[in-house]
Amino acid sequence: MLNGILALLFAGLFLRAGELPSSMWEPLGSGSFPRLILAILVLINLAIMLKEARRLRTLQPGEPGMVVQWLRRHRLAFGVLVLLGAYILCLPWLGFALASLCFLLAGQWLLGARTARGLGIALIIALCFSFGIDLLFREVFVISLPRGLLG
C-alpha cells in the first residue's frame, strides 16, 4: 500500500516537473532530469508492488504475533524513516549543512557505528557529505542550499 501511495506521489511530481521553467542552456529542459528520476522511482515502486502481490498470494494464515515479529525485524528501517522525517522538519531551521551532519551522524550510529573508530569514521563521512556538499554547491555550482536560521 505504501508503495502505491509513493508511486502516485512520484507520478504527480513527474507531471509537475514538466512545468519547471527552461533556459536556453538546457536543450532538454530543466524538468528532464527530475522526470527521469521520478519515472525510475515510479517503476521501482510498481515492481515492488508486483513482487509483494505475488508473495502475498502464496502466504498461509500465520500464527499470532507475526505483525510484532515483522515490526521487530524492520525496526532499523523505521528508525531511519523517523530520522528522515526529523531531518526534513529541521532543515529549514538548521540549514542543509548542520541538519545533514546531525542526520548522517544519527543514522550511522543507529545502523551500528558504536566504537570509537566507527564513530570517528562516521564523523568524517558526515562532515564530508554535509559541509562538503554544501561547499560544493555554493562555490562550484553557485546554488545556495538552505542556510537555516543559524546561517
Side-chain angles (χ1 to χ4, degrees), residues 111-130:
L111 295 174
R114 301 268 174 28
T115 64
R117 182 174 187 261
L119 289 171
I121 292 170
L123 180 63
I124 291 169
I125 290 170
L127 286 170
C128 289
F129 281 98
S130 58

Side-chain angles (χ1 to χ4, degrees), residues 40-118:
I40 290 170
L41 289 171
V42 167
L43 290 174
I44 288 171
N45 278 283
L46 292 175
I48 291 171
M49 288 171 54
L50 182 65
K51 180 182 173 189
E52 288 298 312
R54 282 191 211 148
R55 190 181 66 79
L56 286 175
R57 263 191 264 143
T58 62
L59 286 179
Q60 301 297 323
E63 71 269 0
M66 281 185 64
V67 173
V68 173
Q69 291 173 3
W70 183 85
L71 288 171
R72 193 172 292 130
R73 276 195 316 267
H74 294 87
R75 68 186 177 279
L76 289 177
F78 289 117
V80 172
L81 188 60
V82 167
L83 280 177
L84 180 63
Y87 171 70
I88 291 169
L89 291 174
C90 292
L91 192 61
W93 291 293
L94 297 177
F96 176 82
L98 193 55
S100 297
L101 178 72
C102 295
F103 170 73
L104 290 169
L105 281 174
Q108 291 180 82
W109 180 83
L110 180 70
L111 295 174
R114 301 268 174 28
T115 64
R117 182 174 187 261

